[in-house]
Amino acid sequence: MKIYPYKRLNRPITLRVTSVSLKLSDGTRDRLETTAYSTQQQVVALGIAGHADWLTATIGLSATLPPGANAPDAAWSDLRVLAVLTDGETNVRTSVDLTRDAEDGRDWSGTLELLRDNHLSRASLAVYAVGTVDGVEGRSIAETDRNWIIDTASEEPVRGLQLDVQKASFSKSAREWLHAYADVPWVVDTSARVPTVFVNTDVEGVLGLLDSSGSGVDSKVRDLLVAQMATDVWTAVFHGAIGDLEVEPGGGPVFPTDWQGEVLREMLPDVVPGVHVEEALRQVHRRRTGESGWVELQTRIHYAAARRADATRALAYAIRGLEQMNREK
């Protein structure tokens, strides 16, 4: 938890998406169904309507400030509520003022317009309440504790990690860096805009096994293989995310706004259990950049990755299947 040298609200702002519409290249507007956004996942999927020619998206927002925001004896004045859309890939930042619904109410609403050309895939949407405190303008009074994700391409409003899986002959690939890994079945590239898993077609049988849909021994081995691959992926993306953090002037790490931030928020509760994710991020950052503690943390990172990959379930399923096959012999 951050420490502020002034009074703030001690609870987060609640943010809801209330509507989504797309402006098409012919000037018409398509108001999307409510299936385009998920309040539980806190994701908007702008690709759900299947339009290839949309220019802008207008997103209706409703935010509720925590109790005490309008208290007569509040330590702040000139209260404003801002919706801020941030894209870590394109470095585009868009902010709009929300309007108070009732004079003495805590509900604020408004719309935010997103230009398609400004975004490649996912952007992060947060809401901040700011005011004048002790004569200083623009001080943060409260904010959302979990950002919404605005996905400009996805057809389904899901928050999970997106991966690009590509098949390649590592020994013959035009990507020369793959040549050094010609004797392994796959590698994970976390430097791309979207994490990419390259599957090595030089390894005999790996593609057939991954693509198999049978119910025999092949399916058991396939599930184990997929679980191992997923564990490797989660481990790699965590290290990629934690190794590329921006740092505030005071030395504290800042949560990324793209897939890296999603990975960290997903895994940190298992890597450093029992604390808020922001404190967990600070602890992991200190261990990675400090003199000690980073090596000891690798077991927790692997544990978090194995949980995300559901490796235990895959192993138990394989063991039960093989035991059943042995009994039937």
Side-chain angles (χ1 to χ4, degrees), residues 44-59:
V44 176
L46 297 180
I48 196 170
H51 293 297
D53 59 344
W54 66 273
L55 303 176
T56 65
T58 301
I59 302 171

Side-chain angles (χ1 to χ4, degrees), residues 94-302:
T94 305
S95 63
V96 295
D97 277 278
L98 302 185
T99 303
R100 199 195 307 258
D101 293 348
E103 184 176 350
D104 297 324
R106 293 187 289 115
D107 293 325
W108 298 63
S109 60
T111 59
L112 182 142
E113 187 172 66
L114 176 152
L115 301 178
R116 185 178 187 177
D117 288 345
N118 286 343
H119 303 277
L120 295 175
S121 57
R122 289 188 160 197
S124 179
L125 178 63
V127 169
Y128 301 87
V130 299
T132 301
V133 183
D134 298 331
V136 180
E137 298 180 355
R139 281 189 158 174
S140 177
I141 305 303
E143 58 277 320
T144 45
D145 62 347
R146 188 183 187 214
N147 296 352
W148 276 69
I149 299 298
I150 311 300
D151 194 317
T152 60
S154 178
E155 298 178 2
E156 186 178 0
V158 293
R159 201 174 182 93
L161 176 67
Q162 289 188 321
L163 293 173
D164 182 14
V165 179
Q166 296 190 24
K167 304 169 184 177
S169 168
F170 285 14
S171 62
K172 302 174 184 178
S173 175
R175 298 180 177 87
E176 294 186 359
W177 65 270
L178 285 174
H179 297 176
Y181 308 104
D183 58 343
V184 298
W186 61 76
V187 293
V188 184
D189 178 16
T190 61
S191 65
R193 180 175 59 84
V194 174
T196 302
V197 181
F198 289 95
V199 179
N200 189 1
T201 59
D202 295 334
V203 177
E204 184 177 356
V206 66
L207 288 183
L209 192 58
L210 288 174
D211 294 338
S212 65
S213 57
S215 58
V217 175
D218 285 357
S219 70
K220 313 299 187 296
V221 178
R222 180 199 63 220
D223 288 348
L224 285 175
L225 190 66
V226 170
Q228 179 60 56
M229 180 185 292
T231 300
D232 290 350
V233 167
W234 279 105
T235 303
V237 295
F238 182 87
H239 281 281
I242 205 70
D244 193 29
L245 292 176
E246 292 186 13
V247 179
E248 294 176 324
V254 179
F255 262 107
T257 57
D258 53 9
W259 65 263
Q260 295 176 329
E262 289 301 304
V263 166
L264 294 175
R265 291 183 186 278
E266 176 73 19
M267 294 182 66
L268 281 171
D270 282 330
V271 177
V272 185
V275 300
H276 191 275
V277 289
E278 289 191 355
E279 173 59 26
L281 181 65
R282 284 191 287 272
Q283 289 190 24
V284 173
H285 179 68
R286 283 197 300 268
R287 292 193 186 193
R288 190 185 71 83
T289 58
E291 296 180 356
S292 64
W294 179 237
V295 173
E296 291 79 6
L297 206 60
Q298 300 310 303
T299 301
R300 297 294 312 185
I301 295 172
H302 183 268

